[in-house]
Amino acid sequence: MLRIENLAVSYGRAKVLLDVNLAVNEGEVVAVLGGNGAGKTTTLKTISGLVRPRSGTISFNGEPISGLPSHAIAQLGIAHCPEGRRLFGGMTVEDNLFLGAATPAARKNQHETLDRMYELFPIMKERRKQHAGLLSGGQQQMVAIARALMAEPKLLILDEPSLGLAPKIVTEVFEVIHQVRDAGVTVLLVEQNVAQALGTADRGYVIEQGAVALEGGAQELLKNEELQKAYLGI
Ligand code: ATP
């Protein structure tokens, strides 16, 4: 579904991605792991068209997308749930959700999609008239995921969905990611929480210094000694 080849990205003179190669098959959950500043967020932002690549190719369902504006990439079926949730705290939960239906096709179906979101996240229905900024961190993360799903994407990109959340809530977020995949949406996520991410994902990639240092099936990666030492403290 998604194929990234030889991707290089710079911010000014700083080369952040040197050579990233990565693929996501339809129906998978794929985790991108790595230390702070490795280039994980940059990889996601480049897929979504928020950052332009210096070189390399990105294709989605066989179509080249690198260099396209982000609205065109969204229309092809990629939705990005950013790090830090980025909700409009002074707007209601429901209005935040409607903002996610940003493509013409999604806008047409927005009321039906909203009903589906309320089925997936019942608490959101209860809180729909509250300001999003008043919700707990976990609930805000659920709203951010639901807002991205309002675009009816084929591929959902999640940047650090567990950031700053209590362990019990992190488990709930990963359960939601399972449900999203079961509903037919492919998921690419960046995580610092390596154990949980690989517990949920089918496959993973470890990015170090702007390139893929390690890749494989999630269970195989969990058993990898290098990864255990670097990220799991084993
Ligand atoms: P983290 O987990 O800390 O978010 P990351 O792997 O997601 O790390 P990126 O956010 O992709 O890393 O950042 C990679 C490098 O690029 C870092 O050194 C960061 O300081 C730098 N960087 C990120 N955004 C910009 C920007 N807009 N301008 C300049 N440098 C940037």
Side-chain angles (χ1 to χ4, degrees):
M1 176 179 251
L2 181 79
R3 181 171 291 282
I4 300 180
E5 285 171 312
N6 310 117
L7 183 67
V9 175
S10 299
Y11 293 114
R13 267 187 279 169
K15 293 181 178 170
V16 172
L17 299 186
L18 304 175
D19 184 18
V20 171
N21 294 276
L22 181 159
V24 180
N25 300 309
E26 190 168 355
E28 280 188 317
V29 174
V30 173
V32 177
L33 313 166
N36 285 338
K40 305 178 299 296
T41 295
T42 300
T43 303
L44 298 190
K45 284 183 173 172
T46 312
I47 298 167
S48 309
L50 299 168
V51 168
R52 288 190 163 254
R54 192 160 55 86
S55 58
T57 55
I58 306 176
S59 61
F60 183 60
N61 287 329
E63 258 189 75
I65 59 165
S66 31
L68 288 182
S70 49
H71 66 86
I73 293 172
Q75 282 189 21
L76 291 172
I78 298 180
H80 190 138
C81 181
E83 185 174 349
R85 335 211 207 284
R86 306 285 180 91
L87 298 179
F88 292 92
M91 286 169 60
T92 65
V93 166
E94 191 154 283
D95 285 343
N96 270 280
L97 293 177
F98 278 131
L99 284 177
T103 66
R107 216 167 292 135
K108 231 167 66 189
N109 301 333
Q110 62 182 351
H111 292 285
E112 289 83 353
T113 317
L114 185 72
D115 287 342
R116 284 212 309 279
M117 290 305 116
Y118 287 154
E119 272 169 38
L120 187 58
F121 305 98
I123 184 75
M124 237 177 268
K125 188 169 186 181
E126 277 173 39
R127 303 286 165 90
R128 66 188 187 279
K129 296 295 174 202
Q130 278 187 13
H131 283 173
L134 297 176
L135 302 187
S136 69
Q139 289 166 349
Q140 290 193 25
Q141 183 59 56
M142 302 299 184
V143 176
I145 294 173
R147 180 180 59 184
L149 291 172
M150 285 293 290
E152 298 188 279
K154 299 186 186 93
L155 174 67
L156 174 66
I157 290 180
L158 295 172
D159 196 349
E160 303 239 10
S162 79
L163 194 71
L165 302 179
K168 182 172 162 278
I169 313 298
V170 171
T171 304
E172 285 176 21
V173 168
F174 280 100
E175 274 166 18
V176 162
I177 293 170
H178 261 300
Q179 284 174 287
V180 168
R181 191 258 305 272
D182 291 347
V185 180
T186 304
V187 179
L188 177 64
L189 78 147
V190 155
E191 259 302 331
Q192 297 272 354
N193 192 329
V194 171
Q196 286 266 14
L198 290 178
T200 297
D202 299 297
R203 291 189 302 114
Y205 292 84
V206 179
I207 295 189
E208 278 172 15
Q209 293 170 359
V212 173
L214 206 59
E215 64 178 279
Q219 293 311 312
E220 177 195 331
L221 284 177
L222 275 171
K223 288 186 208 131
N224 182 291
E225 276 183 28
E226 237 177 285
L227 181 133
Q228 290 182 346
K229 259 193 229 141
Y231 300 103
L232 298 172
I234 299 176

